[in-house]
Amino acid sequence: GAGVSQSPRYKVAKRGQDVALRCDPISGHVSLFWYQQALGQGPEFLTYFQNEAQLDKSGLPSDRFFAERPEGSVSTLKIQRTQQEDSAVYLCASRRGTENTEAFFGQGTRLTVV
Amino acid sequence: TQLLEQSPQFLSIQEGENLTVYCNSSSVFSSLQWYRQEPGEGPVLLVTVVTGGEVKKLKRLTFQFGDARKDSSLHITAAQPGDTGLYLCAGEGTGNQFYFGTGTSLTVIP
């Protein structure tokens, strides 16, 4: 596609519910990143994929968070048993190569846990 | 926990004024990027600086990378309302991840 696409744009979940957030990166982009952003703050790193390999998941806040990219393109971030502190915007970014190449971001998914 | 601290966190200025945003870290980065983000959108890349001491200009925006590659600054000359947004620095680590700063929210009043 022309850009990074994320769906849904908005998600309201009841506390305890599982959610799945989808990211369609730019076709051919090797690297894919997930970030969590609180209102007015800088995005915080969650996890990084190079093709289908998850090379860094050090930013995932708990074992309730799980990300996958099974075929090296579309990625899904899953949050189990959502809690109110999970409410945030989840951003996905992709880049063609590895170091020092431009990263392109999706519009994000705003998750609200009630 | 974020590796890069930005200052100021909030900035509200009149159209035509100049401003500087700072991005500081105790870590060394292979490169540093500046992004601007508008409400409801993802960050958009403004510039990448790679070499210590490097200065890049983009119209009214001037970006500088510190000699030790730990800090950076963004200077805007004659700010315009269209410059309003959240400005983010991001440092590239050794493993291809990049980490964002805490953000500077800029409002330019007409």
Side-chain angles (χ1 to χ4, degrees):
Chain A
V4 178
S5 178
Q6 292 187 246
S7 60
R9 285 294 313 277
Y10 304 93
K11 176 69 178 178
V12 178
K14 290 186 178 179
R15 190 173 54 179
Q17 188 177 356
D18 297 350
V19 298
L21 312 181
R22 177 186 170 105
C23 173
D24 275 278
I26 294 173
S27 178
H29 277 199
V30 166
S31 301
L32 185 145
F33 305 83
W34 284 98
Y35 289 86
Q36 180 189 60
Q37 186 175 29
L39 187 64
Q41 302 292 315
E44 295 213 23
F45 172 81
L46 293 177
T47 188
Y48 156 59
F49 290 86
Q50 188 170 314
N51 296 307
E52 69 277 5
Q54 188 174 21
L55 297 188
D56 188 342
K57 56 181 181 179
S58 62
L60 296 176
S62 76
D63 59 7
R64 297 185 295 104
F65 286 71
F66 172 77
E68 60 182 4
R69 193 186 186 198
E71 298 179 358
S73 55
V74 171
S75 178
T76 304
L77 176 66
K78 298 179 180 178
I79 309 173
Q80 296 177 322
R81 304 181 304 281
T82 53
Q83 300 177 5
Q84 283 191 315
E85 59 262 32
D86 300 335
S87 296
V89 174
Y90 290 85
L91 292 167
C92 175
S94 71
R95 52 171 29 165
R96 179 185 305 277
T98 53
E99 296 178 4
N100 298 334
T101 54
E102 182 175 356
F104 295 86
F105 281 83
Q107 291 180 298
T109 294
R110 180 178 295 280
L111 173 65
T112 303
V113 182
V114 297
Chain B
T1 304
Q2 291 179 275
L3 297 176
L4 297 108
E5 285 288 328
Q6 288 183 234
S7 61
Q9 185 178 0
F10 299 99
L11 193 53
S12 182
I13 62 171
Q14 295 288 332
E15 182 177 1
E17 292 183 351
N18 302 332
L19 66 115
T20 302
V21 177
Y22 298 93
C23 172
N24 294 294
S25 176
S26 58
S27 301
V28 176
F29 297 102
S30 60
S31 69
L32 196 137
Q33 301 173 336
W34 283 93
Y35 291 80
R36 191 177 83 166
Q37 185 179 21
E38 299 191 18
E41 301 293 328
V44 175
L45 181 68
L46 297 173
V47 78
T48 300
V49 285
V50 178
T51 307
E54 182 177 1
V55 176
K56 279 193 174 178
K57 290 193 174 183
L58 187 66
K59 296 183 180 178
R60 294 176 294 101
L61 278 61
T62 302
F63 305 86
Q64 184 162 8
F65 201 12
D67 291 342
R69 291 186 289 131
K70 293 182 178 181
D71 53 82
S72 181
S73 64
L74 158 61
H75 182 80
I76 301 179
T77 304
Q80 299 177 0
D83 295 330
T84 293
L86 181 68
Y87 287 82
L88 299 159
C89 63
E92 179 124 17
T94 55
N96 190 30
Q97 311 92 322
F98 52 104
Y99 300 93
F100 281 93
T102 47
T104 295
S105 180
L106 171 65
T107 302
V108 181
I109 302 164

